[in-house]
Amino acid sequence: MFDRYEAGELAVLVHVDFSSESDREDLDELELLVSSAGVKTCGKITGSRKSAHAKYFVGTGKAAEIADAVKSLNANVIIFNHALTPSQERNIEALCQCRVLDRTSLILDIFAQRARTHEGKLQVELAQLRHMSTRLIRGWTHLERQKGGIGLRGPGETQLETDRRLLRARIKNIQARLAKVSKQRDQGRRARSRAEVPTVSLVGYTNAGKSTLFNQLTSSDVYVADQLFATLDPTLRKLDIEDAGEVILADTVGFIRHLPHDLVAAFQATLQETQQANLLLHVIDVADPRKTDNIEQVRLVLEQIEADDIPQLLVCNKLDSLEGNLPPRIDRDDEGKPIRVWLSARTGEGCDLLVQALSELLAGEIVNHQLLLPSAVQGQLKGLLYQFDCVENEQYDELGNAILTIRLPIIEWQRMLKKTNGQLNDFVVEQS
């Protein structure tokens, strides 16, 4: 156990280039993460290694360079663009006499700042406690400590054992509360499934423009900012799609390379919105030079949460940031099925093409019927038909019968038949 130095808002960033591609991180992305956390960068230390140093991660010479930089720049926190072991954190803190955070701790800090809902706060706390359980420190409990002196010595719990016991109890308590939340979400999903309402989930790399697109499509006011992890808590809204009927659109947390395992485990309830979706809208920032790598990272995370087999529609966003004034468009496969939509969520240009693509992908068989409703049943049945917004034409014959032309997805027609115990079928005079 060790006492931690107080973290501040003036940071020295440390980035190491490793020869192994799987261990590499992006320095520009670290700067964005630090900025999103509200921390000011006062210096950057970079280097290259074949593998991490066991004691300091960066080697003794580079560790001394970091210590000198901290002293000369009056920094009060060192942020590594990598995952550190507890012993490496402790050794660097002892050498530099300054608080040390790794990439995982930084992401957890951003999530703690962004959490707004009760569920989000619980999920972040669970992730932090799991991460903290390997880095137990004195003072975590803020409770009574074992003290020396007459009458106070003896067997009893050590502080480390106390911390571990209290940590386990708190984790167990949060998991039980999150299990309740997960059960409630399951009930909502089952209700939507019974009503045969499809769910479309927005996924993509963090800061790709998912929330901006969500606001454009649903006329919502979800928080939007040009920073990483602006959205943390999932938001669901209804969306009416022509020929597909009512659809639930879900805005979810963005993904990032090397997403900490603790976060994936803690956000299982939230990620279920993605796992249970009928269609994924994979939003891509086409103006980002790292877009190819970002697409691959999203694929890896979807694989990690077992959502990689759900159908996807690629949404190439931020078209307005590309040179050449490219027009919005829909790319199709050999069968004419939409596979990619180019648009700008910020300006709204091309969003109508996305709605068109959703209609094509989600619409099943379309029903075109002509109904002849006698005056005795017109009030009840006409109200239901207009409620489903499927009446294209309405006329009356000389006997006062209503002649209605309707068009709607077959799923909606089956729902109406269920509501009327099949009565509507008796009034169909022409169908296609």
Side-chain angles (χ1 to χ4, degrees):
M1 297 195 306
F2 61 103
D3 285 314
R4 301 296 297 269
Y5 291 90
E6 289 294 323
E9 305 297 322
L10 202 59
V12 169
L13 310 187
V14 180
H15 173 80
V16 179
D17 278 320
F18 288 99
S19 52
S20 170
E21 188 69 35
S22 61
D23 294 329
R24 286 184 184 170
E25 299 290 0
D26 192 305
L27 180 56
D28 292 337
E29 187 171 84
L30 174 64
E31 292 182 54
L32 285 172
L33 283 169
V34 169
S35 174
S36 295
V39 178
K40 184 181 177 183
T41 301
C42 64
K44 285 180 269 190
I45 306 290
T46 59
S48 57
R49 291 183 64 86
K50 286 186 178 179
S51 60
H53 188 272
K55 185 175 182 181
Y56 292 121
F57 187 84
V58 291
T60 53
K62 189 63 73 173
E65 184 185 336
I66 295 169
D68 291 339
V70 167
K71 194 173 181 181
S72 62
L73 296 169
N74 292 320
N76 41 32
V77 62
I78 303 166
I79 300 177
F80 277 73
N81 195 20
H82 313 272
L84 302 180
T85 65
S87 62
Q88 287 167 341
E89 274 190 23
R90 182 169 64 247
N91 294 333
I92 298 164
E93 285 197 358
L95 176 69
C96 301
Q97 298 183 348
C98 176
R99 184 68 177 266
V100 173
L101 296 178
D102 65 357
R103 180 183 170 88
T104 301
S105 299
L106 177 62
I107 292 173
L108 285 171
D109 184 82
I110 295 170
F111 272 51
Q113 292 180 43
R114 299 282 189 273
R116 294 289 179 270
T117 65
H118 175 64
E119 177 193 359
K121 290 173 182 175
L122 283 177
Q123 289 173 325
V124 171
E125 185 181 353
L126 178 60
Q128 287 178 319
L129 291 178
R130 281 175 167 160
H131 186 63
M132 189 190 296
S133 64
T134 61
R135 292 160 166 78
L136 282 179
I137 56 175
R138 286 198 299 271
W140 172 78
T141 59
H142 306 295
L143 299 175
E144 65 277 359
R145 292 187 181 207
Q146 298 270 321
K147 297 180 180 178
I150 294 173
L152 295 174
R153 299 188 185 94
E157 263 183 339
T158 66
Q159 182 66 38
L160 182 62
E161 288 166 343
T162 303
D163 283 353
R164 281 180 177 155
R165 177 173 55 78
L166 291 168
L167 208 75
R168 283 196 300 269
R170 180 62 180 160
I171 287 174
K172 192 174 179 181
N173 177 267
I174 292 174
Q175 285 174 328
R177 291 161 74 181
L178 282 174
K180 273 188 177 180
V181 174
S182 181
K183 195 173 180 181
Q184 290 167 352
R185 285 191 177 278
D186 280 340
Q187 287 172 344
R189 273 190 292 272
R190 282 198 297 271
R192 294 199 297 269
S193 178
R194 283 195 299 271
E196 296 174 320
V197 178
T199 300
V200 177
S201 185
L202 291 166
V203 300
Y205 208 76
T206 180
N207 205 30
K210 296 182 294 300
S211 295
T212 305
L213 180 61
F214 182 85
N215 287 342
Q216 279 283 1
L217 293 174
T218 63
S219 301
S220 301
D221 56 354
V222 167
Y223 176 69
V224 173
D226 186 16
Q227 57 189 19
L228 302 186
F229 299 117
T231 300
L232 182 58
D233 302 304
T235 309
L236 306 180
R237 292 287 186 277
K238 288 180 182 177
L239 187 64
D240 284 319
I241 302 292
E242 187 180 354
D243 291 341
E246 197 175 82
V247 170
I248 298 296
L249 187 65
D251 186 21
T252 59
V253 63
F255 300 150
I256 195 167
R257 60 177 51 79
H258 298 158
L259 189 67
H261 178 74
D262 289 333
L263 278 182
V264 174
F267 279 76
Q268 202 62 39
T270 300
L271 293 172
Q272 280 177 345
E273 296 298 345
T274 297
Q275 292 167 322
Q276 305 290 335
N278 300 85
L279 177 69
L280 300 181
L281 294 186
H282 181 174
V283 183
I284 303 162
D285 178 359
V286 290
D288 191 332
R290 300 161 296 182
K291 61 179 178 293
T292 303
D293 187 36
N294 292 350
I295 292 169
E296 176 61 17
Q297 295 301 325
V298 170
R299 188 193 67 78
L300 290 173
V301 175
L302 289 174
E303 195 175 280
Q304 192 177 356
I305 65 174
E306 299 179 351
D308 53 321
D309 57 343
I310 298 172
Q312 286 188 35
L313 174 64
L314 300 183
V315 180
C316 299
N317 188 28
K318 304 192 181 180
L319 194 61
D320 55 312
S321 299
L322 292 179
E323 294 181 3
N325 295 321
L326 296 174
R329 69 177 190 273
I330 298 177
D331 292 343
R332 302 176 181 273
D333 61 13
D334 295 338
E335 298 174 357
K337 182 179 170 185
I339 55 172
R340 196 180 293 107
V341 180
W342 296 74
L343 54 77
S344 169
R346 187 178 64 83
T347 64
E349 198 178 8
C351 287
D352 56 331
L353 295 180
L354 176 58
V355 173
Q356 178 188 328
L358 285 174
S359 175
E360 292 180 36
L361 291 172
L362 296 174
E365 187 182 340
I366 301 298
V367 168
N368 289 287
H369 286 342
Q370 192 174 78
L371 306 179
L372 183 68
L373 300 181
S375 55
V377 297
Q378 282 178 23
Q380 178 192 353
L381 296 182
K382 271 175 59 180
L384 180 65
L385 292 165
Y386 276 101
Q387 182 185 326
F388 277 77
D389 194 26
C390 62
V391 179
E392 293 198 323
N393 188 35
E394 179 181 354
Q395 294 178 338
Y396 290 87
D397 62 15
E398 62 277 2
L399 299 175
N401 299 317
I403 303 169
L404 302 177
T405 304
I406 64 169
R407 173 185 167 84
L408 74 168
I410 192 168
I411 291 176
E412 300 275 301
W413 173 248
Q414 288 167 349
R415 285 173 63 192
M416 279 202 291
L417 288 179
K418 196 181 292 184
K419 278 180 175 282
T420 61
N421 295 319
Q423 185 185 8
L424 269 176
N425 260 337
D426 298 335
F427 305 111
V428 176
V429 293
E430 188 180 317
Q431 59 184 16
S432 61

